[in-house]
Amino acid sequence: MLLKWIDRAPRRVLACVSAACVAMLGFGMYLQYGVGLEPCPMCIVQRYALIGVAIFSGLACARGGRRWWLPLAGLAAATAGLGAFVAARQSWLQWNPPETASCGRDFYGMIENFPISRAIPMILRGSGDCTAIDWTFLGGSIANWSFLCFTGLGLLLLTVLVRGLRGAGRRDLSPA
């Protein structure tokens, strides 16, 4: 049934992916401003990945021809993969915290004071903040749930891509 929906209306699927990302970003804002949790550097990277997936999939659903929405959906899938990687790394750090945990610099301090070639490894190395589990739902931390969401969105986007590439010769426009 899901595959039929993807074949029939891939741009609607992309719109749903974009809406899901916006909802997750809203939940993240609630956790930050409503509950009072401060995001660590890896959480901020995951937020940027969610913004990227939302923008790329939103643009993909807005464009009519396959030559537009297929590359944009590919960028959205790649961005979801990046988000899943960072969430998996943070989950691993939470399960296997380093011997010495230091708070380190914040995300923007790293980006402003170091070249990007040094800042990215520092972010992925994690800090003491990245190993903290401040919130759980059904036994999973925010990083665990983020990984599951990114993986689900990425698999859905890859399915849209594969199905779209298979049917590329049949028609150029997909129904909205």
Side-chain angles (χ1 to χ4, degrees), residues 14-53:
L14 293 168
C16 288
V17 167
S18 184
C21 289
V22 170
M24 287 187 278
L25 285 166
F27 183 68
M29 294 295 121
Y30 164 74
L31 287 176
Q32 182 175 355
Y33 296 109
V35 177
L37 300 178
E38 284 299 316
C40 71
M42 286 184 167
C43 294
I44 293 170
V45 171
Q46 292 170 53
R47 281 190 187 177
Y48 284 133
L50 268 178
I51 291 168
V53 173

PDB file of all heavy atoms in Angstrom, residues 14-53:
ATOM      1  N   LEU A  14       6.953  13.523  -0.391  1.00  0.00           N
ATOM      2  CA  LEU A  14       7.991  14.499  -0.073  1.00  0.00           C
ATOM      3  C   LEU A  14       7.445  15.623   0.802  1.00  0.00           C
ATOM      4  O   LEU A  14       8.125  16.103   1.710  1.00  0.00           O
ATOM      5  CB  LEU A  14       8.597  15.053  -1.361  1.00  0.00           C
ATOM      6  CG  LEU A  14       9.400  14.043  -2.184  1.00  0.00           C
ATOM      7  CD1 LEU A  14       9.698  14.603  -3.571  1.00  0.00           C
ATOM      8  CD2 LEU A  14      10.677  13.669  -1.463  1.00  0.00           C
ATOM      9  N   ALA A  15       6.205  16.036   0.540  1.00  0.00           N
ATOM     10  CA  ALA A  15       5.582  17.065   1.376  1.00  0.00           C
ATOM     11  C   ALA A  15       5.386  16.545   2.802  1.00  0.00           C
ATOM     12  O   ALA A  15       5.597  17.289   3.773  1.00  0.00           O
ATOM     13  CB  ALA A  15       4.255  17.502   0.774  1.00  0.00           C
ATOM     14  N   CYS A  16       5.003  15.273   2.943  1.00  0.00           N
ATOM     15  CA  CYS A  16       4.844  14.684   4.279  1.00  0.00           C
ATOM     16  C   CYS A  16       6.180  14.593   5.005  1.00  0.00           C
ATOM     17  O   CYS A  16       6.252  14.813   6.219  1.00  0.00           O
ATOM     18  CB  CYS A  16       4.194  13.310   4.170  1.00  0.00           C
ATOM     19  SG  CYS A  16       2.456  13.373   3.723  1.00  0.00           S
ATOM     20  N   VAL A  17       7.244  14.265   4.281  1.00  0.00           N
ATOM     21  CA  VAL A  17       8.583  14.220   4.892  1.00  0.00           C
ATOM     22  C   VAL A  17       8.953  15.614   5.397  1.00  0.00           C
ATOM     23  O   VAL A  17       9.449  15.765   6.521  1.00  0.00           O
ATOM     24  CB  VAL A  17       9.624  13.687   3.884  1.00  0.00           C
ATOM     25  CG1 VAL A  17      11.039  13.934   4.375  1.00  0.00           C
ATOM     26  CG2 VAL A  17       9.399  12.208   3.625  1.00  0.00           C
ATOM     27  N   SER A  18       8.713  16.623   4.582  1.00  0.00           N
ATOM     28  CA  SER A  18       9.025  17.994   4.987  1.00  0.00           C
ATOM     29  C   SER A  18       8.215  18.399   6.215  1.00  0.00           C
ATOM     30  O   SER A  18       8.752  18.985   7.161  1.00  0.00           O
ATOM     31  CB  SER A  18       8.763  18.947   3.817  1.00  0.00           C
ATOM     32  OG  SER A  18       9.145  20.252   4.152  1.00  0.00           O
ATOM     33  N   ALA A  19       6.928  18.057   6.225  1.00  0.00           N
ATOM     34  CA  ALA A  19       6.077  18.391   7.370  1.00  0.00           C
ATOM     35  C   ALA A  19       6.532  17.649   8.630  1.00  0.00           C
ATOM     36  O   ALA A  19       6.514  18.216   9.732  1.00  0.00           O
ATOM     37  CB  ALA A  19       4.625  18.060   7.052  1.00  0.00           C
ATOM     38  N   ALA A  20       6.957  16.385   8.481  1.00  0.00           N
ATOM     39  CA  ALA A  20       7.445  15.627   9.639  1.00  0.00           C
ATOM     40  C   ALA A  20       8.696  16.282  10.217  1.00  0.00           C
ATOM     41  O   ALA A  20       8.864  16.356  11.441  1.00  0.00           O
ATOM     42  CB  ALA A  20       7.730  14.180   9.237  1.00  0.00           C
ATOM     43  N   CYS A  21       9.578  16.769   9.342  1.00  0.00           N
ATOM     44  CA  CYS A  21      10.798  17.444   9.819  1.00  0.00           C
ATOM     45  C   CYS A  21      10.455  18.721  10.569  1.00  0.00           C
ATOM     46  O   CYS A  21      11.049  19.009  11.621  1.00  0.00           O
ATOM     47  CB  CYS A  21      11.717  17.749   8.645  1.00  0.00           C
ATOM     48  SG  CYS A  21      12.486  16.299   7.936  1.00  0.00           S
ATOM     49  N   VAL A  22       9.498  19.473  10.060  1.00  0.00           N
ATOM     50  CA  VAL A  22       9.088  20.707  10.738  1.00  0.00           C
ATOM     51  C   VAL A  22       8.480  20.377  12.101  1.00  0.00           C
ATOM     52  O   VAL A  22       8.750  21.068  13.093  1.00  0.00           O
ATOM     53  CB  VAL A  22       8.117  21.513   9.845  1.00  0.00           C
ATOM     54  CG1 VAL A  22       7.484  22.660  10.608  1.00  0.00           C
ATOM     55  CG2 VAL A  22       8.837  22.026   8.609  1.00  0.00           C
ATOM     56  N   ALA A  23       7.696  19.291  12.171  1.00  0.00           N
ATOM     57  CA  ALA A  23       7.116  18.885  13.454  1.00  0.00           C
ATOM     58  C   ALA A  23       8.212  18.482  14.444  1.00  0.00           C
ATOM     59  O   ALA A  23       8.148  18.834  15.629  1.00  0.00           O
ATOM     60  CB  ALA A  23       6.137  17.739  13.241  1.00  0.00           C
ATOM     61  N   MET A  24       9.225  17.753  13.967  1.00  0.00           N
ATOM     62  CA  MET A  24      10.325  17.359  14.858  1.00  0.00           C
ATOM     63  C   MET A  24      11.118  18.568  15.318  1.00  0.00           C
ATOM     64  O   MET A  24      11.553  18.633  16.476  1.00  0.00           O
ATOM     65  CB  MET A  24      11.229  16.342  14.171  1.00  0.00           C
ATOM     66  CG  MET A  24      10.595  14.971  14.065  1.00  0.00           C
ATOM     67  SD  MET A  24      11.707  13.715  13.442  1.00  0.00           S
ATOM     68  CE  MET A  24      11.589  14.000  11.691  1.00  0.00           C
ATOM     69  N   LEU A  25      11.315  19.537  14.432  1.00  0.00           N
ATOM     70  CA  LEU A  25      11.996  20.769  14.840  1.00  0.00           C
ATOM     71  C   LEU A  25      11.178  21.514  15.889  1.00  0.00           C
ATOM     72  O   LEU A  25      11.734  22.056  16.852  1.00  0.00           O
ATOM     73  CB  LEU A  25      12.241  21.671  13.626  1.00  0.00           C
ATOM     74  CG  LEU A  25      13.369  21.236  12.712  1.00  0.00           C
ATOM     75  CD1 LEU A  25      13.296  21.991  11.392  1.00  0.00           C
ATOM     76  CD2 LEU A  25      14.704  21.458  13.379  1.00  0.00           C
ATOM     77  N   GLY A  26       9.867  21.527  15.718  1.00  0.00           N
ATOM     78  CA  GLY A  26       8.995  22.152  16.711  1.00  0.00           C
ATOM     79  C   GLY A  26       9.097  21.465  18.063  1.00  0.00           C
ATOM     80  O   GLY A  26       9.128  22.123  19.115  1.00  0.00           O
ATOM     81  N   PHE A  27       9.173  20.128  18.050  1.00  0.00           N
ATOM     82  CA  PHE A  27       9.330  19.393  19.297  1.00  0.00           C
ATOM     83  C   PHE A  27      10.677  19.705  19.951  1.00  0.00           C
ATOM     84  O   PHE A  27      10.768  19.849  21.173  1.00  0.00           O
ATOM     85  CB  PHE A  27       9.176  17.887  19.058  1.00  0.00           C
ATOM     86  CG  PHE A  27       9.256  17.078  20.315  1.00  0.00           C
ATOM     87  CD1 PHE A  27       8.259  17.157  21.274  1.00  0.00           C
ATOM     88  CD2 PHE A  27      10.335  16.248  20.555  1.00  0.00           C
ATOM     89  CE1 PHE A  27       8.329  16.426  22.449  1.00  0.00           C
ATOM     90  CE2 PHE A  27      10.417  15.509  21.715  1.00  0.00           C
ATOM     91  CZ  PHE A  27       9.410  15.594  22.670  1.00  0.00           C
ATOM     92  N   GLY A  28      11.711  19.843  19.130  1.00  0.00           N
ATOM     93  CA  GLY A  28      13.022  20.220  19.658  1.00  0.00           C
ATOM     94  C   GLY A  28      12.996  21.605  20.299  1.00  0.00           C
ATOM     95  O   GLY A  28      13.599  21.826  21.352  1.00  0.00           O
ATOM     96  N   MET A  29      12.275  22.527  19.672  1.00  0.00           N
ATOM     97  CA  MET A  29      12.144  23.872  20.250  1.00  0.00           C
ATOM     98  C   MET A  29      11.362  23.823  21.564  1.00  0.00           C
ATOM     99  O   MET A  29      11.694  24.521  22.524  1.00  0.00           O
ATOM    100  CB  MET A  29      11.442  24.813  19.265  1.00  0.00           C
ATOM    101  CG  MET A  29      12.221  25.109  18.006  1.00  0.00           C
ATOM    102  SD  MET A  29      13.732  26.013  18.349  1.00  0.00           S
ATOM    103  CE  MET A  29      14.928  24.896  17.678  1.00  0.00           C
ATOM    104  N   TYR A  30      10.343  22.956  21.614  1.00  0.00           N
ATOM    105  CA  TYR A  30       9.597  22.786  22.862  1.00  0.00           C
ATOM    106  C   TYR A  30      10.515  22.258  23.966  1.00  0.00           C
ATOM    107  O   TYR A  30      10.478  22.750  25.094  1.00  0.00           O
ATOM    108  CB  TYR A  30       8.413  21.844  22.654  1.00  0.00           C
ATOM    109  CG  TYR A  30       7.840  21.338  23.957  1.00  0.00           C
ATOM    110  CD1 TYR A  30       7.078  22.173  24.774  1.00  0.00           C
ATOM    111  CD2 TYR A  30       8.093  20.041  24.393  1.00  0.00           C
ATOM    112  CE1 TYR A  30       6.584  21.721  25.982  1.00  0.00           C
ATOM    113  CE2 TYR A  30       7.603  19.578  25.594  1.00  0.00           C
ATOM    114  CZ  TYR A  30       6.840  20.429  26.396  1.00  0.00           C
ATOM    115  OH  TYR A  30       6.364  19.979  27.590  1.00  0.00           O
ATOM    116  N   LEU A  31      11.335  21.240  23.639  1.00  0.00           N
ATOM    117  CA  LEU A  31      12.243  20.702  24.650  1.00  0.00           C
ATOM    118  C   LEU A  31      13.246  21.752  25.116  1.00  0.00           C
ATOM    119  O   LEU A  31      13.621  21.788  26.291  1.00  0.00           O
ATOM    120  CB  LEU A  31      12.985  19.476  24.110  1.00  0.00           C
ATOM    121  CG  LEU A  31      12.173  18.198  23.971  1.00  0.00           C
ATOM    122  CD1 LEU A  31      13.015  17.097  23.338  1.00  0.00           C
ATOM    123  CD2 LEU A  31      11.621  17.742  25.304  1.00  0.00           C
ATOM    124  N   GLN A  32      13.674  22.625  24.200  1.00  0.00           N
ATOM    125  CA  GLN A  32      14.647  23.645  24.577  1.00  0.00           C
ATOM    126  C   GLN A  32      13.994  24.763  25.376  1.00  0.00           C
ATOM    127  O   GLN A  32      14.484  25.128  26.448  1.00  0.00           O
ATOM    128  CB  GLN A  32      15.340  24.218  23.349  1.00  0.00           C
ATOM    129  CG  GLN A  32      16.394  25.245  23.696  1.00  0.00           C
ATOM    130  CD  GLN A  32      17.169  25.739  22.496  1.00  0.00           C
ATOM    131  OE1 GLN A  32      16.992  25.250  21.383  1.00  0.00           O
ATOM    132  NE2 GLN A  32      18.042  26.699  22.719  1.00  0.00           N
ATOM    133  N   TYR A  33      12.912  25.331  24.845  1.00  0.00           N
ATOM    134  CA  TYR A  33      12.339  26.523  25.478  1.00  0.00           C
ATOM    135  C   TYR A  33      11.230  26.209  26.475  1.00  0.00           C
ATOM    136  O   TYR A  33      11.024  26.964  27.422  1.00  0.00           O
ATOM    137  CB  TYR A  33      11.843  27.489  24.405  1.00  0.00           C
ATOM    138  CG  TYR A  33      12.970  28.000  23.544  1.00  0.00           C
ATOM    139  CD1 TYR A  33      13.103  27.581  22.222  1.00  0.00           C
ATOM    140  CD2 TYR A  33      13.932  28.859  24.062  1.00  0.00           C
ATOM    141  CE1 TYR A  33      14.151  28.035  21.438  1.00  0.00           C
ATOM    142  CE2 TYR A  33      14.985  29.306  23.289  1.00  0.00           C
ATOM    143  CZ  TYR A  33      15.083  28.889  21.976  1.00  0.00           C
ATOM    144  OH  TYR A  33      16.129  29.327  21.200  1.00  0.00           O
ATOM    145  N   GLY A  34      10.517  25.105  26.292  1.00  0.00           N
ATOM    146  CA  GLY A  34       9.443  24.748  27.209  1.00  0.00           C
ATOM    147  C   GLY A  34       9.925  23.951  28.400  1.00  0.00           C
ATOM    148  O   GLY A  34       9.554  24.208  29.540  1.00  0.00           O
ATOM    149  N   VAL A  35      10.788  22.960  28.139  1.00  0.00           N
ATOM    150  CA  VAL A  35      11.280  22.090  29.203  1.00  0.00           C
ATOM    151  C   VAL A  35      12.581  22.626  29.795  1.00  0.00           C
ATOM    152  O   VAL A  35      12.893  22.397  30.945  1.00  0.00           O
ATOM    153  CB  VAL A  35      11.463  20.647  28.660  1.00  0.00           C
ATOM    154  CG1 VAL A  35      12.042  19.716  29.706  1.00  0.00           C
ATOM    155  CG2 VAL A  35      10.136  20.109  28.163  1.00  0.00           C
ATOM    156  N   GLY A  36      13.364  23.344  29.003  1.00  0.00           N
ATOM    157  CA  GLY A  36      14.604  23.935  29.499  1.00  0.00           C
ATOM    158  C   GLY A  36      15.849  23.125  29.208  1.00  0.00           C
ATOM    159  O   GLY A  36      16.878  23.345  29.847  1.00  0.00           O
ATOM    160  N   LEU A  37      15.807  22.208  28.250  1.00  0.00           N
ATOM    161  CA  LEU A  37      16.995  21.430  27.889  1.00  0.00           C
ATOM    162  C   LEU A  37      17.852  22.222  26.905  1.00  0.00           C
ATOM    163  O   LEU A  37      17.341  22.740  25.923  1.00  0.00           O
ATOM    164  CB  LEU A  37      16.589  20.096  27.246  1.00  0.00           C
ATOM    165  CG  LEU A  37      15.735  19.156  28.083  1.00  0.00           C
ATOM    166  CD1 LEU A  37      15.388  17.912  27.282  1.00  0.00           C
ATOM    167  CD2 LEU A  37      16.454  18.780  29.361  1.00  0.00           C
ATOM    168  N   GLU A  38      19.137  22.294  27.172  1.00  0.00           N
ATOM    169  CA  GLU A  38      20.051  22.986  26.271  1.00  0.00           C
ATOM    170  C   GLU A  38      20.646  21.984  25.283  1.00  0.00           C
ATOM    171  O   GLU A  38      21.156  20.944  25.703  1.00  0.00           O
ATOM    172  CB  GLU A  38      21.173  23.674  27.048  1.00  0.00           C
ATOM    173  CG  GLU A  38      20.743  24.940  27.740  1.00  0.00           C
ATOM    174  CD  GLU A  38      20.226  26.004  26.787  1.00  0.00           C
ATOM    175  OE1 GLU A  38      20.852  26.224  25.725  1.00  0.00           O
ATOM    176  OE2 GLU A  38      19.185  26.612  27.105  1.00  0.00           O
ATOM    177  N   PRO A  39      20.618  22.284  23.992  1.00  0.00           N
ATOM    178  CA  PRO A  39      21.170  21.336  23.011  1.00  0.00           C
ATOM    179  C   PRO A  39      22.697  21.345  23.018  1.00  0.00           C
ATOM    180  O   PRO A  39      23.326  22.389  23.155  1.00  0.00           O
ATOM    181  CB  PRO A  39      20.620  21.849  21.675  1.00  0.00           C
ATOM    182  CG  PRO A  39      20.372  23.302  21.897  1.00  0.00           C
ATOM    183  CD  PRO A  39      20.002  23.449  23.355  1.00  0.00           C
ATOM    184  N   CYS A  40      23.264  20.158  22.851  1.00  0.00           N
ATOM    185  CA  CYS A  40      24.715  20.022  22.756  1.00  0.00           C
ATOM    186  C   CYS A  40      25.127  20.259  21.298  1.00  0.00           C
ATOM    187  O   CYS A  40      24.271  20.394  20.427  1.00  0.00           O
ATOM    188  CB  CYS A  40      25.141  18.637  23.233  1.00  0.00           C
ATOM    189  SG  CYS A  40      24.685  17.306  22.106  1.00  0.00           S
ATOM    190  N   PRO A  41      26.439  20.323  20.999  1.00  0.00           N
ATOM    191  CA  PRO A  41      26.859  20.545  19.609  1.00  0.00           C
ATOM    192  C   PRO A  41      26.310  19.510  18.620  1.00  0.00           C
ATOM    193  O   PRO A  41      25.918  19.853  17.511  1.00  0.00           O
ATOM    194  CB  PRO A  41      28.389  20.476  19.685  1.00  0.00           C
ATOM    195  CG  PRO A  41      28.706  20.925  21.071  1.00  0.00           C
ATOM    196  CD  PRO A  41      27.587  20.400  21.915  1.00  0.00           C
ATOM    197  N   MET A  42      26.253  18.238  19.026  1.00  0.00           N
ATOM    198  CA  MET A  42      25.723  17.225  18.118  1.00  0.00           C
ATOM    199  C   MET A  42      24.221  17.396  17.894  1.00  0.00           C
ATOM    200  O   MET A  42      23.716  17.139  16.797  1.00  0.00           O
ATOM    201  CB  MET A  42      26.018  15.826  18.636  1.00  0.00           C
ATOM    202  CG  MET A  42      27.456  15.427  18.487  1.00  0.00           C
ATOM    203  SD  MET A  42      27.665  13.725  19.008  1.00  0.00           S
ATOM    204  CE  MET A  42      29.282  13.415  18.358  1.00  0.00           C
ATOM    205  N   CYS A  43      23.509  17.841  18.915  1.00  0.00           N
ATOM    206  CA  CYS A  43      22.071  18.100  18.760  1.00  0.00           C
ATOM    207  C   CYS A  43      21.839  19.243  17.769  1.00  0.00           C
ATOM    208  O   CYS A  43      20.897  19.207  16.973  1.00  0.00           O
ATOM    209  CB  CYS A  43      21.438  18.458  20.096  1.00  0.00           C
ATOM    210  SG  CYS A  43      21.438  17.123  21.297  1.00  0.00           S
ATOM    211  N   ILE A  44      22.699  20.244  17.812  1.00  0.00           N
ATOM    212  CA  ILE A  44      22.564  21.370  16.895  1.00  0.00           C
ATOM    213  C   ILE A  44      22.826  20.926  15.465  1.00  0.00           C
ATOM    214  O   ILE A  44      22.114  21.323  14.535  1.00  0.00           O
ATOM    215  CB  ILE A  44      23.498  22.518  17.332  1.00  0.00           C
ATOM    216  CG1 ILE A  44      23.020  23.087  18.669  1.00  0.00           C
ATOM    217  CG2 ILE A  44      23.553  23.614  16.273  1.00  0.00           C
ATOM    218  CD1 ILE A  44      23.965  24.061  19.321  1.00  0.00           C
ATOM    219  N   VAL A  45      23.828  20.063  15.265  1.00  0.00           N
ATOM    220  CA  VAL A  45      24.085  19.530  13.922  1.00  0.00           C
ATOM    221  C   VAL A  45      22.875  18.736  13.434  1.00  0.00           C
ATOM    222  O   VAL A  45      22.475  18.841  12.269  1.00  0.00           O
ATOM    223  CB  VAL A  45      25.369  18.670  13.909  1.00  0.00           C
ATOM    224  CG1 VAL A  45      25.527  17.941  12.590  1.00  0.00           C
ATOM    225  CG2 VAL A  45      26.586  19.529  14.189  1.00  0.00           C
ATOM    226  N   GLN A  46      22.257  17.966  14.330  1.00  0.00           N
ATOM    227  CA  GLN A  46      21.067  17.212  13.944  1.00  0.00           C
ATOM    228  C   GLN A  46      19.915  18.145  13.582  1.00  0.00           C
ATOM    229  O   GLN A  46      19.144  17.866  12.659  1.00  0.00           O
ATOM    230  CB  GLN A  46      20.659  16.259  15.066  1.00  0.00           C
ATOM    231  CG  GLN A  46      21.647  15.134  15.273  1.00  0.00           C
ATOM    232  CD  GLN A  46      21.365  14.345  16.518  1.00  0.00           C
ATOM    233  OE1 GLN A  46      20.259  13.879  16.714  1.00  0.00           O
ATOM    234  NE2 GLN A  46      22.384  14.200  17.366  1.00  0.00           N
ATOM    235  N   ARG A  47      19.801  19.258  14.279  1.00  0.00           N
ATOM    236  CA  ARG A  47      18.764  20.230  13.919  1.00  0.00           C
ATOM    237  C   ARG A  47      19.013  20.802  12.524  1.00  0.00           C
ATOM    238  O   ARG A  47      18.089  20.952  11.733  1.00  0.00           O
ATOM    239  CB  ARG A  47      18.731  21.379  14.928  1.00  0.00           C
ATOM    240  CG  ARG A  47      18.025  21.034  16.184  1.00  0.00           C
ATOM    241  CD  ARG A  47      17.826  22.257  17.020  1.00  0.00           C
ATOM    242  NE  ARG A  47      17.295  21.875  18.314  1.00  0.00           N
ATOM    243  CZ  ARG A  47      17.076  22.726  19.286  1.00  0.00           C
ATOM    244  NH1 ARG A  47      17.355  24.000  19.119  1.00  0.00           N
ATOM    245  NH2 ARG A  47      16.589  22.308  20.431  1.00  0.00           N
ATOM    246  N   TYR A  48      20.269  21.118  12.236  1.00  0.00           N
ATOM    247  CA  TYR A  48      20.579  21.619  10.897  1.00  0.00           C
ATOM    248  C   TYR A  48      20.294  20.564   9.832  1.00  0.00           C
ATOM    249  O   TYR A  48      19.821  20.885   8.736  1.00  0.00           O
ATOM    250  CB  TYR A  48      22.033  22.092  10.811  1.00  0.00           C
ATOM    251  CG  TYR A  48      22.274  23.426  11.467  1.00  0.00           C
ATOM    252  CD1 TYR A  48      23.345  23.611  12.320  1.00  0.00           C
ATOM    253  CD2 TYR A  48      21.432  24.507  11.232  1.00  0.00           C
ATOM    254  CE1 TYR A  48      23.580  24.841  12.929  1.00  0.00           C
ATOM    255  CE2 TYR A  48      21.653  25.733  11.842  1.00  0.00           C
ATOM    256  CZ  TYR A  48      22.724  25.893  12.689  1.00  0.00           C
ATOM    257  OH  TYR A  48      22.945  27.100  13.284  1.00  0.00           O
ATOM    258  N   ALA A  49      20.545  19.305  10.154  1.00  0.00           N
ATOM    259  CA  ALA A  49      20.225  18.235   9.210  1.00  0.00           C
ATOM    260  C   ALA A  49      18.708  18.153   9.000  1.00  0.00           C
ATOM    261  O   ALA A  49      18.249  17.981   7.861  1.00  0.00           O
ATOM    262  CB  ALA A  49      20.775  16.906   9.708  1.00  0.00           C
ATOM    263  N   LEU A  50      17.931  18.296  10.064  1.00  0.00           N
ATOM    264  CA  LEU A  50      16.470  18.303   9.912  1.00  0.00           C
ATOM    265  C   LEU A  50      16.010  19.474   9.053  1.00  0.00           C
ATOM    266  O   LEU A  50      15.120  19.320   8.211  1.00  0.00           O
ATOM    267  CB  LEU A  50      15.799  18.400  11.290  1.00  0.00           C
ATOM    268  CG  LEU A  50      15.430  17.116  11.980  1.00  0.00           C
ATOM    269  CD1 LEU A  50      14.821  17.398  13.342  1.00  0.00           C
ATOM    270  CD2 LEU A  50      14.490  16.272  11.151  1.00  0.00           C
ATOM    271  N   ILE A  51      16.610  20.635   9.268  1.00  0.00           N
ATOM    272  CA  ILE A  51      16.264  21.798   8.448  1.00  0.00           C
ATOM    273  C   ILE A  51      16.598  21.516   6.985  1.00  0.00           C
ATOM    274  O   ILE A  51      15.810  21.823   6.091  1.00  0.00           O
ATOM    275  CB  ILE A  51      16.993  23.064   8.961  1.00  0.00           C
ATOM    276  CG1 ILE A  51      16.434  23.488  10.316  1.00  0.00           C
ATOM    277  CG2 ILE A  51      16.888  24.204   7.954  1.00  0.00           C
ATOM    278  CD1 ILE A  51      17.259  24.535  11.040  1.00  0.00           C
ATOM    279  N   GLY A  52      17.760  20.904   6.727  1.00  0.00           N
ATOM    280  CA  GLY A  52      18.150  20.568   5.361  1.00  0.00           C
ATOM    281  C   GLY A  52      17.184  19.592   4.709  1.00  0.00           C
ATOM    282  O   GLY A  52      16.778  19.771   3.562  1.00  0.00           O
ATOM    283  N   VAL A  53      16.796  18.539   5.440  1.00  0.00           N
ATOM    284  CA  VAL A  53      15.844  17.572   4.892  1.00  0.00           C
ATOM    285  C   VAL A  53      14.515  18.255   4.602  1.00  0.00           C
ATOM    286  O   VAL A  53      13.899  18.023   3.553  1.00  0.00           O
ATOM    287  CB  VAL A  53      15.661  16.366   5.842  1.00  0.00           C
ATOM    288  CG1 VAL A  53      14.551  15.451   5.361  1.00  0.00           C
ATOM    289  CG2 VAL A  53      16.951  15.586   5.991  1.00  0.00           C
TER     290      VAL A  53
END
